[in-house]
Amino acid sequence: MTGAPAPRAPAPLVRDPANAGRPRLTIGALNFPEQALLGRLYAGALRAAGYRVSVRLDLGSDQAALQALRRGRIDAFPEYLGSALGALFHRRLPRRRGPAYAAVRAAFARVGMTALAPTPFEDSAGFAVRRGTARRLGGTSLSDLAGRAARLTLAGPRGCRRRLDCAAGLRRVYGLRFRRVIEVPLARRAAVLRERRAHVSAVFTTDGALAKGDLVLLRDDRDALPPYHVTLVVRDRALAAAGDGLRTAVGRLQATLTTAALQRLNARLDRGASAARVAARHLRDSGLVD
C-alpha cells in the first residue's frame, strides 16, 4: 500500500520584464523582528516577479505606517487585522477572520488604500500545552480543557486573571476556572511548560518556541480571541500602477505563510539569523524562487 503523494511545491514566481518599467515600490514594516521578516518576504516575492522594490523597516507604530502610506513615503505595509481595527480605526473587532477582514478592507478603502486578502497565519494570543498534556486531554482545542481546568495551572501575562485574552476570557467563553494562575514574562511562557511549572500557558500563535514540536497550540474553537491575520495594505494609486502582477505575487507568497511556517521562521530569527536571510531562505525553500 502506497502513501499519499507528497504535496507539490509551488512553481517559481515568473519575472515579468514589464514590471521593471513600473514605478518602484517601497514596502514598509514596523521595527520588530516578525514585521521586518514580513517586509522582506513581500519585497522578495515582488522582486522575483520583476518589480523594483525598496524596503523601510523602521516604522515605529501602526499610526506611523498609516501616515507614511498617506504621504506616499511607502506604498504598502503588512498590517494585522486586529491592530488595524483597534489601533488605527478604533472599531470593535469581530471574532472571526471573514468579518474582521471585511471591516478592515472597508476602513482602508475609505482612505484610498486596498487591504489585500489576508494570510493563512495569524499572530494572535493563544494557549499551548505540552504534547503529553494534549494526549491526556484527548484533543487539541480549548474546549478539551472543560472539566479539567480546576486541576490545572495557567501561566500568563501580568493581570491574566482579569484579561479577556487570558483567564477572564477563558472563563467567560469556555467556563474554565483554573486551580492556579501565575504571571510569567513572555520570554518564559514556553519554558514554564517544559519545566512543568504550568499545564497551560498563554503564548502568541507564531512564537518560535512552538516550532520544536514538543508543545501543542490549542485551537480556539469558540472564537474567544480576536483574529490577527496579516493583510498587505497598498495605496490604491500604487496598486493600479503595479498591475495584476502584484496581487499574483502576494497571493502566491501568502499561500506559503501558514502558522507553522511562521513559527519556524521566527525560531530562526530567535537564533540570531537576520530577517533578510530568513526571508530569502523561505522563498527558496517554498519553491517561489529558484
Side-chain angles (χ1 to χ4, degrees):
M1 179 177 174
T2 60
R8 296 177 61 185
L13 287 164
V14 177
R15 182 177 297 274
D16 183 348
N19 289 337
R22 299 183 187 275
R24 176 178 292 272
L25 294 165
T26 300
I27 307 298
L30 304 189
N31 56 357
F32 64 88
E34 184 175 274
Q35 273 275 305
L37 171 65
L38 291 170
R40 294 288 187 185
L41 285 167
Y42 284 112
L46 290 169
R47 288 193 186 103
Y51 291 96
R52 295 177 296 127
V53 183
S54 301
V55 294
R56 276 196 59 184
L57 309 178
D58 60 347
L59 301 172
S61 67
D62 300 273
Q63 292 85 352
L66 182 60
Q67 284 298 104
L69 271 179
R70 283 175 164 161
R71 295 173 181 174
R73 294 175 180 171
I74 62 173
D75 298 298
F77 84 102
E79 177 61 302
Y80 304 93
L81 298 183
S83 298
L85 287 180
L88 296 180
F89 299 111
H90 309 292
R91 306 284 177 81
R92 183 184 65 82
L93 181 58
R95 297 292 175 175
R96 294 180 180 274
R97 170 179 144 163
Y101 171 58
V104 168
R105 184 176 56 190
F108 277 115
R110 287 191 285 270
V111 293
M113 301 171 195
T114 296
L116 299 181
T119 56
F121 87 88
E122 61 173 327
D123 182 359
S124 71
F127 297 90
V129 298
R130 295 186 299 275
R131 189 163 294 279
T133 301
R135 285 195 295 268
R136 289 192 294 275
L137 292 173
T140 58
S141 69
L142 285 168
S143 289
D144 293 316
L145 295 173
R148 295 178 170 86
R151 302 190 296 275
L152 304 178
T153 295
L154 169 67
R158 184 182 298 274
C160 176
R161 293 173 182 82
R162 301 180 299 278
R163 290 176 55 153
L164 292 178
D165 61 352
C166 203
L170 294 179
R171 183 171 61 250
R172 174 183 295 185
V173 177
Y174 290 93
L176 303 178
R177 296 179 181 274
F178 290 89
R179 177 177 64 87
R180 186 180 177 213
V181 177
I182 60 174
E183 297 180 355
V184 179
L186 178 59
R188 294 282 300 159
R189 304 272 180 81
V192 295
L193 290 176
R194 295 181 174 119
E195 295 165 0
R196 300 180 182 272
R197 290 184 54 215
H199 302 92
V200 184
S201 186
V203 295
F204 287 102
T205 55
T206 59
D207 278 354
L210 300 175
K212 291 184 178 180
D214 59 331
L215 304 181
V216 175
L217 187 66
L218 297 178
R219 184 168 54 90
D220 179 15
D221 51 317
R222 297 185 186 173
D223 298 310
L225 302 166
Y228 274 76
H229 301 80
V230 167
T231 171
L232 187 69
V233 181
V234 189
R235 290 191 305 118
D236 285 348
R237 288 185 180 181
L239 184 61
D244 293 339
L246 185 149
R247 287 182 184 268
T248 299
V250 168
R252 295 273 301 283
L253 167 67
Q254 290 188 170
T256 71
L257 299 181
T258 63
T259 298
L262 261 292
Q263 291 168 0
R264 292 192 296 272
L265 299 179
N266 279 326
R268 293 171 190 162
L269 295 178
D270 292 344
R271 292 193 293 269
S274 69
R277 184 173 181 178
V278 173
R281 177 176 169 182
H282 176 77
L283 292 170
R284 292 193 304 272
D285 290 350
S286 63
L288 292 173
V289 174
D290 285 330

